[in-house]
Amino acid sequence: MEKEFGFEKEMGLGLGSFWSEKGSGLTISVPPLPPSKEDDLPQTPPATEPPNRPLPPTPTTRTAPTTRPFTSSSDANTPKRPPPSRPPPLRPQAPLRMNPPTRPGTAASQSSVKFTTSTKRLSLGSVDSNRRPIKYGQGKYRNVELIPQPSDDPDDPLNWPLWRKELNFYSLLLMVAMTSVMKSIFLAVNAQVAEGYQVSYTAAAGLTGVPLMISALAGFACLIASRICGKRPLYLASLLLVFIGAVWNTNVQTSYAECMAARIFQGIGWGAFDSLFLGSIQDTYFEHERGTKVAIYSVVAVSTTWGAPLLGGVASQSPSGFGMQFSILSVFFVLAVPAVVVGAPETVFDRAYTLAQTPITALSTASSGKYKTSIPAPRKTFSIESAKAYLYKMKPYSYTTGYFDSGVLLQAPRAFIAPTTMLVFLVSFLPYCALWGLGNSLSLLFHPMPFRLSSGSLGALLTGPWIMATATVAVFALVLKGWWSNTNTISTSRLQMFAPKTHMITLAVGSILSFIGILTFGLHIDACMTRPEDDDGMTSVYALEYLGMHVNFPAVSFLLGLLAMGVYVLDATARPLIRASTMFTSSNLGVALRNTTDMGAGVGFWRSLFAGVFVIAVPNATWSWDGLRSVCMGFAIAQVIVAAVLGTVWWLWGEDVRRWDGRVMKLVDLDMLKRTGSFFDVD
């Protein structure tokens, strides 16, 4: 037995072979021996192999050394290291806007990528991000990655058919146009209102200023309430208030108190359409579709605001007076009421906490048939059943939130006082308030002697602001939409980012236009209404065909148009600055969209609030020609100083301002807004 054992060891039982002793039934197994130093030397295979011996395993790591050529003793004794290997060059990452075949690897395409599950509450550790598909557009946008990524729920507003999105957009846009008309409806008839109610001009100006201030407060409240109940109940309530106020204003020719009460109703109703409409666009459209809709909204809002006095002044010359404007406006409620009630469903959709975030697989579709695939449903023809199903979903209140977090509710108030919000407001604060204040003082300046302009002629003075403001907004929104662009892109439409040089140029141009318009307006009217040095002083400055005939009213309209152009050139910098701030501070795309809406509404809040104050205050300071000159000079000089200071702040400390936005809005420590994974994973 020992001889056999020794023979077996010499024949390579270290390879793990098993031998059976014939006739005895005894089986001897030998464990593998540890490798020895002699393994490095080449082994000579045996001349003969034992019978039934299994083949040796294939060597994996060690190979026989190769024969080296003859070298000197010094070279032979000196070990040499192999030449260092150069790592392969890194391939530059392709931009996200390119076609899907060149898109960098994502969790959907790389199954080996594993995301670390967060220990924070409400984290996305339970979401299977490794298999989440990337969705792209259709038609000419088939190579465009959809931002934000829609869910697989057909009730998601991003998945609505085109006709439903357009119906919702234009229904709300009609109400935006009507509320914009109501804001400036008294600019051309303030003197007529003061005479009819036997009140001061300041009281008449309050019919415009007070609703503006109330609309700012109402918009702030609606923005917070929309986090709890959605947008549709607020739209319906605002529609009802605006309707009551407009109809009430058609028959208040003898009571100033009733007229003010009706205007307060209107102001409360304006708030929702001012602060929530941009959020509805973000809820419904993808990023590559959103730019055109925002441009249409901006052009319509500006055009109806400054174009309304042109027609309203002419309509107010009728025997019914200024009430005729509200009678004409009330006719449009025949379209607006059913359009909003039937065509504007709820657009708030919480796609961050739904099973629709997981990819559609055979397992998920078999276990739950609640969500359909992302493949577009076939086109359906109109039928009574489909109409009933659509109307059934149009409930006044349909959005419910599964949680109530004070941190999210306080995001809107914090966004209103964020540094970027305040700086964007301050840069256009004086020109914007001057435009509203001087526009509301036209009746005070040119309705009395020696001009005696009618309401139609007073409304015509706003032709310049109407044309030049609308053209400026249209050019920046449609023609110069790439003016703010950097090389960084995330889709086929360019990402509006903060470019310091571009912003400085726009800031300088807007400030210069505002400076020229305000200063020249005051100096021209004061120079025309000042007595010449050789005048004997016997003729009153209010005499007909005396000083008043020197005023060039087309020039006055053009100067107001320059002021309006400067205002909306400065306003063009607001959205790129806000976008840069939210992309810098937000943890994911959903938070960025929400913060963009909040900060934009914050800028509108401060503008409306202070515009209402200046609408009431400016007429008290411009009732004399000297006072008008002083006010215009003060506005012009102050705007130059403010623009220089704010431009310096943005140029030198732009990134610090954005960092302070994150601190003020509590985006750094707010657990509710923290997510794991990519910025674009969850909306």
Side-chain angles (χ1 to χ4, degrees):
M1 183 69 66
E2 292 179 356
K3 292 181 179 181
E4 293 180 2
F5 180 79
F7 175 76
E8 292 170 7
K9 180 178 180 181
E10 292 178 357
M11 295 303 293
L13 273 179
L15 299 174
S17 303
F18 297 91
W19 294 84
S20 299
E21 186 176 1
K22 298 181 180 180
S24 63
L26 177 64
T27 301
I28 301 176
S29 62
V30 180
L33 297 178
S36 63
K37 296 181 179 180
E38 299 167 353
D39 294 339
D40 296 335
L41 300 177
Q43 301 291 336
T44 303
T48 59
E49 293 289 340
N52 300 329
R53 183 175 184 271
L55 294 176
T58 303
T60 56
T61 58
R62 299 183 179 181
T63 58
T66 58
T67 304
R68 296 184 180 182
F70 174 79
T71 57
S72 63
S73 60
S74 60
D75 294 338
N77 297 331
T78 303
K80 292 185 179 181
R81 296 182 179 180
S85 61
R86 178 176 296 180
L90 296 178
R91 183 180 180 182
Q93 185 175 0
L96 295 181
R97 68 183 292 269
M98 298 182 67
N99 295 337
T102 61
R103 189 182 187 277
T106 61
S109 60
Q110 300 178 359
S111 59
S112 61
V113 177
K114 300 294 183 180
F115 289 106
T116 303
T117 304
S118 173
T119 58
K120 303 292 185 180
R121 64 187 181 92
L122 296 176
S123 68
L124 300 181
S126 60
V127 179
D128 188 4
S129 300
N130 293 343
R131 293 185 297 174
R132 181 182 177 185
I134 302 298
K135 300 180 181 179
Y136 295 85
Q138 301 175 9
K140 64 179 181 179
Y141 299 110
R142 61 183 177 275
N143 294 330
V144 178
E145 182 180 344
L146 298 181
I147 300 176
Q149 286 284 292
S151 67
D152 296 315
D153 190 345
D155 291 332
D156 187 346
L158 294 174
N159 294 328
W160 287 351
L162 181 60
W163 67 266
R164 192 174 182 183
K165 293 183 178 182
E166 297 295 298
L167 179 61
N168 173 73
F169 174 76
Y170 287 105
S171 298
L172 296 177
L173 187 65
L174 177 59
M175 281 304 304
V176 169
M178 294 179 65
T179 56
S180 300
V181 169
M182 293 181 189
K183 292 178 182 179
S184 58
I185 202 169
F186 282 110
L187 294 187
V189 297
N190 277 324
Q192 183 180 350
V193 170
E195 294 174 357
Y197 289 134
Q198 297 297 314
V199 295
S200 65
Y201 194 89
T202 302
L207 294 175
T208 301
V210 171
L212 283 175
M213 292 185 285
I214 291 179
S215 69
L217 299 175
F220 174 73
C222 289
L223 199 62
I224 299 177
S226 64
R227 304 283 197 273
I228 303 173
C229 62
K231 295 183 176 69
R232 178 169 168 79
L234 302 175
Y235 283 141
L236 295 178
S238 300
L239 172 64
L240 179 62
L241 292 172
V242 173
F243 176 76
I244 293 174
V247 174
W248 194 355
N249 256 138
T250 59
N251 193 21
V252 290
Q253 300 291 332
T254 58
S255 175
Y256 176 81
E258 291 186 13
C259 184
M260 178 60 77
R263 293 290 286 174
I264 291 175
F265 270 82
Q266 296 170 30
I268 298 174
W270 300 344
F273 298 100
D274 289 343
S275 61
L276 301 181
F277 186 72
L278 285 177
S280 296
I281 294 177
Q282 292 181 348
D283 293 340
T284 312
Y285 293 95
F286 299 104
E287 188 201 9
H288 65 276
E289 303 170 332
R290 203 178 297 148
T292 303
K293 301 304 178 183
V294 173
I296 294 174
Y297 160 72
S298 301
V299 171
V300 169
V302 172
S303 179
T304 51
T305 298
W306 300 110
L310 277 71
L311 300 177
V314 175
S316 299
Q317 294 178 353
S318 65
S320 300
F322 65 88
M324 178 59 67
Q325 297 185 77
F326 289 98
S327 299
I328 297 174
L329 191 62
S330 298
V331 176
F332 289 91
F333 282 104
V334 177
L335 297 176
V337 171
V340 175
V341 172
V342 178
E346 182 59 68
T347 60
V348 178
F349 184 85
D350 191 357
R351 61 181 60 87
Y353 304 98
T354 178
L355 292 176
Q357 286 296 324
T358 58
I360 294 299
T361 61
L363 179 61
S364 62
T365 52
S367 60
S368 175
K370 182 177 181 180
Y371 302 111
K372 299 180 180 179
T373 62
S374 58
I375 301 176
R379 182 175 298 179
K380 298 180 180 180
T381 59
F382 176 80
S383 63
I384 298 179
E385 290 75 12
S386 61
K388 289 181 179 180
Y390 174 79
L391 294 176
Y392 178 77
K393 297 180 180 179
M394 301 299 296
K395 300 177 181 179
Y397 177 74
S398 59
Y399 175 76
T400 55
T401 179
Y403 60 92
F404 185 86
D405 192 277
S406 59
V408 175
L409 295 180
L410 291 176
Q411 282 300 293
R414 291 168 181 162
F416 279 36
I417 60 174
T420 295
T421 303
M422 299 305 299
L423 292 177
V424 169
F425 158 68
L426 290 175
V427 77
S428 60
F429 156 64
L430 290 174
Y432 187 83
C433 293
L435 179 61
W436 273 96
L438 295 177
N440 203 56
S441 302
L442 293 177
S443 294
L444 176 65
L445 297 174
F446 302 120
H447 179 73
M449 299 289 289
F451 307 104
R452 296 300 297 173
L453 295 184
S454 63
S455 59
S457 299
L458 292 170
L461 293 178
L462 294 173
T463 303
W466 173 54
I467 295 176
M468 301 176 76
T470 304
T472 301
V473 172
V475 167
F476 274 96
L478 299 174
V479 180
L480 298 180
K481 56 185 178 181
W483 175 253
W484 312 101
S485 302
N486 280 340
T487 56
N488 298 328
T489 55
I490 61 174
S491 68
T492 53
S493 61
R494 286 185 170 186
L495 175 63
Q496 292 182 340
M497 297 293 288
F498 177 73
K501 292 184 180 179
T502 302
H503 178 71
M504 292 300 108
I505 294 174
T506 309
L507 183 62
V509 171
S511 299
I512 291 173
L513 291 174
S514 302
F515 175 83
I516 295 173
I518 298 174
L519 185 62
T520 310
F521 178 86
L523 294 180
H524 171 69
I525 297 176
D526 179 69
C528 293
M529 298 305 297
T530 301
R531 295 177 183 274
E533 295 180 358
D534 57 351
D535 187 78
D536 56 5
M538 299 299 295
T539 306
S540 173
V541 295
Y542 298 103
L544 295 175
E545 298 183 359
Y546 181 44
L547 299 179
M549 61 183 301
H550 297 164
V551 177
N552 189 339
F553 289 107
V556 169
S557 179
F558 177 75
L559 293 174
L560 288 176
L562 282 181
L563 173 58
M565 180 181 290
V567 168
Y568 289 102
V569 168
L570 294 174
D571 179 69
T573 64
R575 290 194 181 99
L577 286 171
I578 292 174
R579 181 72 176 271
S581 174
T582 56
M583 298 289 283
F584 184 83
T585 58
S586 302
S587 59
N588 58 62
L589 183 60
V591 178
L593 292 176
R594 181 168 59 247
N595 292 340
T596 300
T597 302
D598 293 343
M599 296 176 74
V603 174
F605 167 82
W606 293 114
R607 285 178 179 172
S608 297
L609 185 64
F610 280 90
V613 174
F614 275 76
V615 161
I616 300 174
V618 169
N620 291 322
T622 59
W623 63 272
S624 65
W625 311 120
D626 293 339
L628 176 64
R629 180 188 60 186
S630 301
V631 168
C632 292
M633 291 181 64
F635 273 124
I637 296 174
Q639 173 58 25
V640 173
I641 297 175
V642 170
V645 172
L646 296 181
T648 303
V649 170
W650 266 315
W651 182 266
L652 298 178
W653 301 289
E655 185 173 344
D656 294 332
V657 171
R658 292 190 288 272
R659 292 182 186 276
W660 276 103
D661 289 337
R663 296 178 182 178
V664 172
M665 299 174 68
K666 304 294 184 182
L667 294 178
V668 177
D669 297 325
L670 189 60
D671 292 339
M672 182 65 196
L673 304 180
K674 290 182 178 178
R675 295 288 184 265
T676 59
S678 171
F679 175 87
F680 301 99
D681 273 353
V682 175
D683 179 20

